[in-house]
Amino acid sequence: MSARGADPGRAPAITQATGVEWGRWAEILDGAGGADLPHKELAQAAHAAMPAAVENAGWWAQSVAVAYEQWIGRRIPGQAHDGTFQVSATRTMPGTMREVFDRWCELTGDLTELDGLTVTDGPRTSGTDKRLHWGVTLADGSRGNVDVSPKSADKTLVAASQVNLTNPDDVERWRAFWKGRIKEL
């Protein structure tokens, strides 16, 4: 427990991955002027203090910055640095990346609405050898995204997300929606 509240929920994972206790991360970021720094500068300060042995140090620096912002009351869980909210659902499925993506595109077709909201842009698709992407923009300004990437030779990871949500109450609605759509695959 700290003077600002309970340690953030990700504190144990951060400590395990970085070898630095949450209280020490809080001291480091406080010492860098953390309460007044924007997210990008918080992440840079965390990255500068990250032990050299930490794998994926940039990702963990972002995690430390987000946890700190939650700890000082600047954001709540699920809230992005711009004040919006996002949620995701994932599932590993049998098949190659291309097979799963083609099934997704066939399932969705040229839809004009998503969970009752009008599609104002899309569906759009793009991709690389490592990931295929499908996305739409909805009338409320949020965006639905589905990314498909290989997990093994015959298994594929499907990651669906709803981003740019303005109301935290919409997070669970969209989590349930995306879990249901992925199950349809």
Side-chain angles (χ1 to χ4, degrees), residues 5 16 21 35 43 58 83 87 115 132 163:
Q16 182 177 357
E21 295 285 332
V87 63
D115 201 30
L132 298 172
V163 300

Side-chain angles (χ1 to χ4, degrees), residues 109-129:
D110 290 327
L111 62 108
T112 58
E113 67 89 25
L114 202 59
D115 201 30
L117 291 172
T118 301
V119 172
T120 58
D121 185 28
R124 302 171 303 281
T125 60
S126 62
T128 66
D129 292 340

Side-chain angles (χ1 to χ4, degrees), residues 23 33 40 45 51 61 63 75 78 84-85 94 116 120 160 172:
K40 181 178 179 180
S63 293
R75 77 161 88 175
T84 63
F85 296 86
T120 58
E172 291 310 314

Side-chain angles (χ1 to χ4, degrees), residues 21-154:
E21 295 285 332
W22 173 251
R24 180 65 187 130
W25 278 119
E27 290 172 5
I28 290 167
L29 294 180
D30 277 345
D36 298 319
L37 294 178
H39 175 81
K40 181 178 179 180
E41 291 179 32
L42 278 172
Q44 289 170 340
H47 194 265
M50 193 66 58
V54 173
E55 289 185 36
N56 207 355
W59 191 89
W60 283 107
Q62 289 289 333
S63 293
V64 169
V66 168
Y68 181 82
E69 288 172 316
Q70 291 172 354
W71 182 70
I72 65 172
R74 185 183 301 165
R75 77 161 88 175
I76 61 176
Q79 188 175 32
H81 67 89
D82 64 359
T84 63
F85 296 86
Q86 54 194 21
V87 63
S88 64
T90 62
R91 187 171 187 174
T92 299
M93 314 194 93
T96 67
M97 177 176 71
R98 177 50 68 184
E99 290 167 346
V100 172
F101 189 72
D102 287 348
R103 285 196 317 259
W104 173 258
C105 291
E106 184 178 319
L107 174 69
T108 58
D110 290 327
L111 62 108
T112 58
E113 67 89 25
L114 202 59
D115 201 30
L117 291 172
T118 301
V119 172
T120 58
D121 185 28
R124 302 171 303 281
T125 60
S126 62
T128 66
D129 292 340
K130 294 183 179 186
R131 181 177 54 179
L132 298 172
H133 175 80
W134 175 96
V136 293
T137 302
L138 302 177
D140 67 351
S142 69
R143 292 186 314 276
N145 300 300
V146 174
D147 291 305
V148 178
S149 56
K151 189 143 178 144
S152 67
D154 60 346

